[in-house]
Amino acid sequence: MTRAIVTHDLVKVYPRRDRPWWRPAGKRPPAAPAVDGLSLTIPAGQVTGLLGLNGAGKTTTIRMLSTLLRPTTGSATVDGLDLVRDAREIRRRINMIAGGERMVYARLTARENLWYFGQLYDVPRARLTARIDELLALVGLSHAADQRVEQFSKGMRQRLSIARGLINEPSYLLLDEPTLGLDAPIARDLRAVVAELARGGVGVLLTSHYLAEVEQLCAEVHVIAAGRLVARGTPAELTALTERQHTVEITLAAAGASADQAVQALAARTGAQVTADTDEQLRPRYVLRHRHDLAGDLATTVVAAGGAIVRLEVTPPTLEDAILALADGARQPEAVAA
Amino acid sequence: MPVAWATLKRNWLVMQRAYPWTYFIGTLAPGVFTVVLALLSYEAIGGGRVSDWFRGASGTPDYLGYVTVGAAALMFTTRMVLWVAKAQITEQREGTLESQLLTPARRLPYLLGVSLQAFLTSLLELTCLFGTALLLGVRLPAPDPVTLAAGVLAALVAVVGLSIPVSAIMIAAGEAHITQNTLFCLIGLVCGFTFPPALLPAPLTWLGELLPATSALRVLRAASLHAAPLGEVAADLLLCLGLGVAYAAVGLLFLPHAERRAVIRGASA
């Protein structure tokens, strides 16, 4: 048996909350599924990314895989164990860390929190004390071990939440925006920990809005939109798909027919989308969108045609752009072959 | 039972840190006022006497003892329900419900841990109540210790059992105050804490019999006011335990559904 989390046609539809329970549903359409036929494989020993815009179904997917929610239809297994039938056994093997969530007890100290969760996970007493010290050191909270969480900063709470998520030495770790709100050095340390865990055989599912984080950690990325898988591949493959989103905006000192013709010719030759208008000072402005960065070609072309550039701005593709582009490509499923 | 023990310890620490000692004045006040009001009305209105009807309906001429035991039982019931039934909705409000549900720990030992902490806290509060009643001149006869211990145990099972489905209702509904106050009004009215249920219309007395606090109270009064031997209260003991276990079973059956509903509400909020 391959060690992995495997989902088949996972669907989650939340019940509608816009009518009292005693009133019949009538002819209202059913709620749209939050997750719609999602099939994924999250292998052990690898970080797998799950990307999508807000509302794409990432958190719902993670909540299902962590057994907090039951799928409406479809199935999922963790190392061959059924997500619904074997939920208690699965909970021993997984854990979840959600950025921005509290998930720890404010009135307890960091050490007391980890001790309590260690008891809930039935961590052997002989192992627990050492494990707590290891985790506090790992997340940089050794100095605050006996301080109450209510006195912690937001970042310290998040670090404790990360330690909580590791207390049971999970085989699979579900990370939902884990670095949200963390200072850069702590976020970097956490990424190092995640990479180390994966090298040690832990399967990690990561959702994040930080593209650099995903590129750094993930061997494979799944992009979902409206609950459906729209693309999957390595970060490099997905980036290649979205290169057309480079945007170059150029503003010229004065209008001129030759410069205009040169820009249009460049767009026609490269296949770039071009829009032309004027800025607030009525100077001609062109915006070119292409999968490659055309800034150099455009500047050369304009100057050669006698144009004078007053402003040139290049907007590289952001994660938001990438996901938008892939969501647009949802009409062509499996945009990247795995 | 590491989960029960850990939860007891956690709750004890949280209680010590979250609540100043003055908070417990507020929790004692209703019980103390019930005894004081009963004492004043007994002396000022009843002239220190009770009617034959009361004697027949309650089985005792000792009105102050009757009310003191009832007030103590009511305080015990409300305090236990507040701790146990509100445990999970408090977790939800504190943001820790999901981290609880992620663990493989079962709900029953968790709730037992909460119950043990609530029981210890309630015993301290009851000691204060009985001490105050003693200062006010209320004298209770020596109880039958075995029957009293059995009654306390049965009352514990009864209120914990009752609290579990209430907990499920609270987290499913996402609110605690309406649920708890409705329950407290109901049990205060029909269970016979401060007056004999025979005063009520028949349907309300039947309703009272469905709540395990009613039979628990009969056992506690029999033990403390009449020093009744265990055999005399066996039927009420069994009824109380049976109802408590039945409520607990129903609650444990529905609790996972209520928890998922709470998670869905959190997810779709």
Side-chain angles (χ1 to χ4, degrees), chain A residues 14-228:
Chain A
Y14 289 117
R16 294 189 77 116
R17 292 268 177 253
D18 53 357
R19 64 178 174 84
W21 58 269
W22 64 84
R23 197 168 292 166
K27 291 183 178 175
R28 283 172 172 276
V35 171
D36 191 4
L38 198 57
S39 297
L40 306 171
T41 299
I42 300 144
Q46 175 182 307
V47 183
T48 304
L50 185 64
L51 301 184
L53 298 179
N54 289 338
K58 306 184 297 292
T59 298
T60 298
T61 302
I62 281 193
R63 283 173 180 231
M64 280 193 285
L65 297 181
S66 63
T67 75
L68 286 176
L69 291 175
R70 282 187 177 175
T72 306
T73 59
S75 65
T77 57
V78 177
D79 291 347
L81 296 168
D82 184 80
L83 191 68
V84 175
R85 204 177 49 242
D86 307 312
R88 199 169 301 282
E89 179 53 36
I90 287 176
R91 285 177 200 142
R92 294 182 195 283
R93 302 181 182 209
I94 59 165
N95 214 323
M96 182 183 87
I97 297 167
E101 301 279 345
R102 286 170 286 180
M103 298 189 92
V104 287
Y105 294 93
R107 307 277 185 189
L108 299 184
T109 67
R111 189 184 299 280
E112 288 164 350
N113 264 289
L114 295 180
W115 176 84
Y116 180 61
F117 282 107
Q119 297 291 322
L120 297 187
Y121 279 102
D122 204 17
V123 178
R125 191 179 299 178
R127 174 78 185 111
L128 185 57
T129 308
R131 182 73 181 149
I132 290 170
D133 287 335
E134 282 168 24
L135 289 174
L136 288 171
L138 184 75
V139 297
L141 286 176
S142 296
H143 67 286
D146 298 311
Q147 196 177 327
R148 284 189 214 169
V149 173
E150 60 193 345
Q151 297 161 352
F152 279 15
S153 67
K154 189 179 172 189
M156 289 167 80
R157 284 181 192 223
Q158 176 65 1
R159 283 145 64 189
L160 180 60
S161 189
I162 290 163
R164 178 205 57 75
L166 298 172
I167 190 74
N168 60 327
E169 301 183 68
S171 302
Y172 297 93
L173 194 54
L174 309 170
L175 302 175
D176 192 5
E177 305 281 356
T179 54
L180 194 70
L182 287 184
D183 291 337
I186 300 297
R188 183 195 58 210
D189 291 349
L190 175 63
R191 285 194 287 273
V193 169
V194 170
E196 183 60 35
L197 286 169
R199 276 194 293 275
V202 175
V204 181
L205 181 64
L206 170 72
T207 78
S208 177
H209 273 98
Y210 303 119
L211 185 57
E213 189 166 275
V214 173
E215 284 180 324
Q216 182 187 339
L217 291 173
C218 296
E220 187 179 34
V221 174
H222 295 77
V223 180
I224 59 174
R228 293 181 182 175

Side-chain angles (χ1 to χ4, degrees), chain B residues 222-237:
Chain B
S224 55
L225 300 179
H226 308 301
L230 198 57
E232 210 170 281
V233 296
D236 275 327
L237 264 179

Side-chain angles (χ1 to χ4, degrees), chain A residues 256-276 286 288 290 294 297-298 301-302 305:
Chain A
S258 58
D260 182 66
Q261 285 168 1
V263 171
Q264 298 295 347
L266 175 68
R269 194 169 67 246
T270 57
Q273 291 177 305
V274 62
T275 56
Y286 299 91
L288 273 78
H290 193 269
L294 294 179
D297 291 347
L298 183 60
T301 302
V302 167

Side-chain angles (χ1 to χ4, degrees), chain B residues 24-51:
Chain B
F24 293 95
I25 294 174
T27 67
L28 279 169
V32 170
F33 287 152
T34 304
V35 174
V36 170
L37 278 174
L39 180 68
L40 291 175
S41 52
Y42 177 63
E43 296 295 344
I45 301 171
R49 296 181 306 277
V50 291
S51 67

